[in-house]
Amino acid sequence: MLERLKRSLLEAPIYKRGDYNYFIHPITDGVPEVRPDLIREVVTHIIRTGNLDIDKIVTIEAMGIHIGTALSLFTDIPLVIIRKRKYGLPGEIAVSQVTGYSKGELYLNGVSSGDRVIVVDDVISTGGTALATLAALKAAGAEVVDVLCVIERGKGADRLRREGYQIKTMLRVEADDSGVRILD
Ligand SMILES: O=P(O)(O)OC[C@H]1O[C@H](OP(=O)(O)OP(=O)(O)O)[C@H](O)[C@@H]1O
């Protein structure tokens, strides 16, 4: 199961971002290319394992967009993209995002109070992006029925679980100077 994802992760090159061993992968970076069979494998797994009794799919710019778009096309459920750009629309919700190597602002539009949503993203590492997303959705009055990240590294998923959130991930990996190892 998930053979294409596993194989491509084991081949992923490492790029040092300060002290952070950043793996470069089609799902997380769109590099070198995003093959349809890989996306199909990932989205098929999300459909099989995610709670899709929802009104909207929510993802985060940038590398959640291809996953969210494919899932939306497969399920006919609308997609909301949390952007890194302010639009100033009425009701726009801004939250701060901190990852293992960057800081920024995220802006949520398009989710209404009472909307049932799933959050999908490519990877969780420190959990900073997911926690910011969940804070924005709470402020919007949405009901988050599931959180699903394709790849888990570090302690971010455990951080969300400690804060009471359910999160599903497809593969857990670790990355160091020598490359990516699949833990389970
Ligand atoms: O658990 P965290 O430490 O928050 O890391 C996970 C986040 O890091 C990346 O986003 P980022 O904004 O760095 O890059 P992107 O624009 O390429 O998605 C990735 O897409 C996740 O959203």
Side-chain angles (χ1 to χ4, degrees):
M1 192 170 68
L2 298 176
E3 292 315 311
R4 292 177 179 85
L5 183 60
K6 289 176 182 172
R7 190 166 56 244
S8 56
L9 276 165
L10 293 173
E11 296 164 356
I14 296 295
Y15 168 51
K16 294 290 281 188
R17 295 182 73 162
D19 293 335
Y20 193 88
N21 290 301
Y22 185 100
F23 60 80
I24 301 169
H25 185 268
I27 290 291
T28 56
D29 299 275
V31 174
E33 64 175 6
V34 182
R35 292 181 52 82
D37 56 348
L38 178 61
I39 284 281
R40 196 176 300 115
E41 180 178 86
V42 166
V43 172
T44 301
H45 191 276
I46 293 172
I47 291 169
R48 285 186 183 141
T49 59
N51 179 345
L52 296 178
D53 176 19
I54 54 175
D55 301 301
K56 296 171 184 173
I57 300 158
V58 176
T59 197
I60 306 100
E61 178 188 2
M63 296 315 293
I65 294 175
H66 52 315
I67 301 163
T69 300
L71 182 61
S72 179
L73 288 173
F74 269 76
T75 61
D76 218 27
I77 300 170
L79 171 65
V80 169
I81 299 169
I82 295 179
R83 294 300 307 273
K84 296 178 176 177
R85 173 186 304 169
K86 181 181 178 69
Y87 287 89
L89 294 174
E92 182 171 68
I93 295 168
V95 290
S96 295
Q97 173 203 25
V98 178
T99 73
Y101 48 78
S102 66
K103 293 182 181 177
E105 292 290 306
L106 298 177
Y107 299 91
L108 169 66
N109 290 285
V111 171
S112 304
S113 180
D115 280 345
R116 289 170 54 84
V117 305
I118 185 173
V119 176
V120 296
D121 206 0
D122 57 327
V123 59
I124 183 166
S125 179
T126 68
T129 302
L131 285 170
T133 296
L134 291 164
L137 290 168
K138 183 176 183 180
E143 181 185 355
V144 179
V145 302
D146 220 346
V147 179
L148 203 150
C149 293
V150 177
I151 299 163
E152 174 182 349
R153 64 173 292 179
K155 302 186 183 321
D158 290 339
R159 186 178 166 196
L160 264 75
R161 294 176 184 119
R162 281 199 306 275
E163 302 210 11
Y165 293 106
Q166 293 300 315
I167 177 166
K168 297 168 182 170
T169 61
M170 296 169 60
L171 288 177
R172 196 162 59 92
V173 305
E174 62 184 12
D176 60 22
D177 292 340
S178 62
V180 175
R181 272 178 306 288
I182 293 169
L183 302 177
D184 57 31

